[in-house]
Amino acid sequence: MILRSNRFSFRSLLSLRRFYSSYQLHDVYIYNSTSKAMEKFEPKYPGTIFWYSCGPTVYDSSHIGHASTYVTFDIIHRILKHVFNYNIVLMMGITDIDDKIIQRSQKEKVHYLEISKKYEQEFIDDMQKLNVQSPTLYARVSDHIPLIINFIQRLIDKGVAYTCPSGSVYFDMNQYGEKHDYQHHRMNEQGLSSIESDILAEKRSTRDFALWKGRDPTSNELKFQSPWGYGRPGWHIECSAMASRTFGSHLDIHSGGLDLVFPHHANEILQSTAYHGNKTWVKYWLHSGLLNTKSMDEKMSKSLNNTILIRDMLETYTPAQFRLFCLMHDYRSPRSFESAAIQQALFVDKLFRSFFETVQACQKGLVDVSTLSEAETISRIGNTQDEIIDVLANNFDTPSAMTRLQELVHWINSHMNYDIRDNENTMMNTSTCALHLAVDFIRSWLGIFGIDMSISGGQNQNASSDRILLENVIEKSVQFRTNIRDISRQKVASGESPKKQLLEQCDDYRLQMKYLGVEIKDRHQGSTWSFKK
């Protein structure tokens, strides 16, 4: 059960983490792709998670399909760490040796690592722009060739892999797959066990998959020496070898896109359990739904030439808006990057930002909140806190969590009175503390999800000095306009000339700008301005 002794202090979740390093605040249930069922999350070591994530194949720029996957798992990572108090070791594999990389390097006549390093760094830069936390460590295939060779040799020694005259090595499904109750990993009748360019004639079974792809020793293509001849690793073996090097024979979580379930992850399970001699290598498999084009039946893929690059998407939408788009979809379900779904994310973004601005207006006495009960507001914040934690503990149900935040905003907004002309005396004596608590509550949860939605007025500690200056100038300008309007209304009603007071307001505005570093000088034909030195 969750600790509720301090239910109204939503920051207690973060502060308690310092004192309860191995104590979980709530049972968590997740959908395990292997069992196809909801299971209570119980990692091997309480309070600690060992997690491997399949990373990109770095042969080209990353697209928003990649963004969707890694933002989604970043959200889950943040929830497990900041809400449910887990310490996490996260490794991400980087495929920097692959046929597509080699083909591109040959086409551009550059070393294959020049291609892979370029697009790996571009991927990392894209993830930083999207506020995806860096993993504990990256693992690159090019750094693990000897390890991969040793991994394959052990499978050969165990009799579950075999070599061929070409120098290729295959996993023997007849020797292992059929004998260890892995029938659910069989290929379907319409495809082979691997998408690689295997030499079918030399395989004992069409379901066998390549661990090592032999290459002609006299060719100029990329190859490495092994006990079986020259070649390079197969697609699936790299993740098993690299993850096993760090985590050994047990992983709590292995994650990736839904398109990796078969054959990649299915073959990972086979070769890894054979290597370690156990039946369960990964306890929980998490797979994210694919990002589709406007047609929900067509996934976004470079091979289909229907991708949108991350850099292009960020020219139209902010990282916060894209993350809201991900938060508002169940992580396991397919999602379509089309107008209606994006507009929903934009609406929620606008809703929260408008609410923060409204609270600022309340503080300045521009909105009446006399009908808003402070006690009921605080109670609703506490209830919303409990409800969000409960839904997140149910397979990271972020759409429901976002709904709870929106409902809180809608309820508070329904008690706002924007027409304050008849309520000025009451309004000035109304406490706004509960409103600021609500703002802090919402911003804290969005921050946990990876969204920085700091309100203006200098409260964003990460804002640049230029941004703060702009906000101050705008603030003074808006106040100046308000004063002018008030003077105009008063003088028009009484029939007096507003000239003197208007000029006084102009002089005061010039003085305020001077304090901000902007010097205004009156000329015969108008005024000029410059930054003060």
Side-chain angles (χ1 to χ4, degrees):
M1 294 295 293
I2 185 172
L3 300 178
R4 300 184 188 272
S5 59
N6 195 15
R7 64 180 294 180
F8 300 142
S9 179
F10 42 86
R11 290 188 178 275
S12 64
L13 282 175
L14 304 180
S15 61
L16 280 174
R17 191 173 188 274
R18 297 196 301 269
F19 305 106
Y20 297 92
S21 60
S22 62
Y23 184 73
Q24 297 342 114
L25 301 177
H26 202 298
D27 290 338
V28 179
Y29 291 85
I30 66 176
Y31 182 87
N32 192 344
S33 297
T34 302
S35 64
K36 295 181 173 57
M38 293 286 290
E39 298 179 9
K40 183 178 179 179
F41 184 61
E42 295 178 309
K44 181 177 181 180
Y45 301 105
T48 300
I49 298 173
F50 295 161
W51 184 343
Y52 180 84
S53 169
C54 284
T57 299
V58 284
Y59 72 96
D60 204 348
S61 298
S62 298
H63 55 69
I64 60 172
H66 300 122
S68 175
T69 295
Y70 295 114
V71 168
T72 294
F73 284 121
D74 181 65
I75 292 168
I76 293 175
H77 181 278
R78 290 170 182 271
I79 292 170
L80 287 169
K81 182 176 181 179
H82 297 300
V83 180
F84 299 116
N85 197 32
Y86 284 98
N87 298 306
I88 302 172
V89 177
L90 173 62
M91 171 193 274
M92 177 179 288
I94 300 289
T95 302
D96 61 352
I97 296 177
D98 180 83
D99 289 347
K100 294 177 181 178
I101 297 172
I102 295 167
Q103 291 167 5
R104 183 153 192 167
S105 70
Q106 292 172 340
K107 181 179 180 180
E108 298 184 12
K109 296 181 172 55
V110 297
H111 194 275
Y112 79 96
L113 284 179
E114 186 173 333
I115 297 294
S116 60
K117 292 299 181 186
K118 171 186 176 181
Y119 290 110
E120 177 188 331
Q121 188 57 53
E122 189 177 289
F123 168 79
I124 293 173
D125 292 343
D126 285 341
M127 293 301 105
Q128 289 177 342
K129 293 173 185 175
L130 293 168
N131 200 26
V132 173
Q133 300 173 111
S134 298
T136 311
L137 68 159
Y138 291 103
R140 300 167 183 84
V141 177
S142 61
D143 295 332
H144 291 79
I145 297 300
L147 187 74
I148 292 172
I149 291 173
N150 290 337
F151 195 102
I152 295 172
Q153 184 60 57
R154 184 169 178 176
L155 293 177
I156 295 173
D157 294 341
K158 283 175 169 268
V160 295
Y162 59 91
T163 62
C164 297
S166 67
S168 295
V169 181
Y170 295 93
F171 189 87
D172 194 333
M173 288 293 292
N174 290 329
Q175 288 296 317
Y176 188 78
E178 298 299 324
K179 296 179 180 180
H180 292 77
D181 194 28
Y182 286 110
Q183 284 85 353
H184 58 287
H185 290 300
R186 289 185 180 182
M187 66 167 191
N188 58 43
E189 296 300 323
Q190 299 166 351
L192 301 175
S193 63
S194 172
I195 64 171
E196 300 162 334
S197 301
D198 297 330
I199 304 173
L200 301 183
E202 66 180 357
K203 295 203 299 184
R204 296 175 182 174
S205 168
T206 56
R207 296 186 296 112
D208 297 347
F209 56 91
L211 304 174
W212 186 262
K213 298 188 288 187
R215 289 297 180 261
D216 184 348
T218 63
S219 69
N220 293 325
E221 65 178 305
L222 177 65
K223 55 189 177 297
F224 303 91
Q225 190 171 12
S226 76
W228 329 287
Y230 285 93
R232 55 179 179 263
W235 176 33
H236 319 296
I237 195 65
E238 61 189 53
C239 291
S240 292
M242 295 188 300
S244 296
R245 173 65 183 87
T246 299
F247 301 109
S249 60
H250 174 82
L251 271 169
D252 296 306
I253 294 176
H254 193 315
S255 62
L258 192 63
D259 55 336
L260 298 181
V261 171
F262 183 89
H264 184 51
H265 289 165
N267 291 346
E268 270 193 72
I269 292 174
L270 290 167
Q271 63 202 13
S272 298
T273 52
Y275 179 89
H276 293 293
N278 55 14
K279 187 172 182 179
T280 302
W281 175 54
V282 175
K283 191 168 184 181
Y284 304 98
W285 286 87
L286 302 185
H287 291 99
S288 62
L290 301 180
L291 183 67
N292 301 305
T293 60
K294 293 182 180 180
S295 167
M296 286 294 288
D297 298 326
E298 184 178 285
K299 76 169 185 175
M300 189 168 293
S301 170
K302 292 175 183 175
S303 62
L304 298 174
N305 196 31
N306 62 357
T307 61
I308 301 172
L309 299 184
I310 293 174
R311 65 180 68 169
D312 294 336
M313 181 271 293
L314 290 178
E315 290 182 0
T316 304
Y317 306 105
T318 67
Q321 289 166 345
F322 185 81
R323 189 170 284 252
L324 283 169
F325 166 78
C326 295
L327 281 162
M328 294 166 65
H329 288 81
D330 174 73
Y331 83 91
R332 293 182 52 245
S333 301
R335 57 197 67 171
S336 177
F337 195 75
E338 44 85 26
S339 179
I342 293 299
Q343 288 302 316
Q344 185 183 17
L346 297 181
F347 169 79
V348 174
D349 181 59
K350 177 71 172 177
L351 175 70
F352 290 140
R353 294 185 188 278
S354 296
F355 175 67
F356 300 156
E357 293 170 0
T358 299
V359 173
Q360 284 187 313
C362 291
Q363 183 65 27
K364 297 172 185 176
L366 303 177
V367 177
D368 178 22
V369 291
S370 58
T371 61
L372 183 67
S373 166
E374 186 174 75
E376 188 174 0
T377 301
I378 294 174
S379 177
R380 281 185 175 265
I381 291 172
N383 291 335
T384 302
Q385 168 81 349
D386 294 344
E387 291 170 2
I388 289 176
I389 294 172
D390 286 341
V391 298
L392 293 179
N394 182 27
N395 203 35
F396 318 111
D397 186 1
T398 59
S400 294
M402 295 303 298
T403 297
R404 302 301 193 278
L405 291 178
Q406 293 174 72
E407 288 173 345
L408 177 63
V409 172
H410 288 310
W411 180 83
I412 294 176
N413 281 339
S414 69
H415 290 77
M416 300 280 194
N417 180 10
Y418 291 87
D419 186 2
I420 64 174
R421 287 173 295 181
D422 299 328
N423 302 281
E424 291 181 358
N425 294 330
T426 304
M427 171 196 66
M428 296 304 294
N429 297 321
T430 304
S431 170
T432 60
C433 188
L435 282 175
H436 291 290
L437 189 68
V439 168
D440 197 29
F441 172 76
I442 295 169
R443 289 179 61 216
S444 294
W445 271 111
L446 294 176
I448 287 172
F449 295 145
I451 295 176
D452 179 11
M453 199 173 279
S454 301
I455 58 179
S456 60
Q459 296 190 39
N460 183 1
Q461 296 179 355
N462 296 321
S464 67
S465 59
D466 289 342
R467 172 63 180 270
I468 294 174
L469 173 61
L470 175 61
E471 290 177 351
N472 283 325
V473 168
I474 293 173
E475 183 72 24
K476 297 301 180 185
S477 300
V478 171
Q479 185 61 52
F480 171 72
R481 181 178 180 275
T482 301
N483 293 341
I484 296 298
R485 292 176 76 243
D486 289 344
I487 292 172
S488 299
R489 285 173 175 172
Q490 294 169 6
K491 298 307 178 181
V492 168
S494 62
E496 298 178 12
S497 171
K499 181 177 180 180
K500 181 180 178 182
Q501 286 183 289
L502 290 174
L503 290 174
E504 287 175 351
Q505 286 296 323
C506 290
D507 290 341
D508 181 68
Y509 179 75
R510 180 174 59 185
L511 183 60
Q512 294 291 338
M513 289 298 101
K514 185 176 181 180
Y515 292 149
L516 295 175
V518 179
E519 190 166 17
I520 298 175
K521 293 182 179 180
D522 293 326
R523 310 292 185 183
H524 291 297
Q525 300 299 324
S527 300
T528 61
W529 67 272
S530 63
F531 288 117
K532 284 183 60 181
K533 297 182 179 179

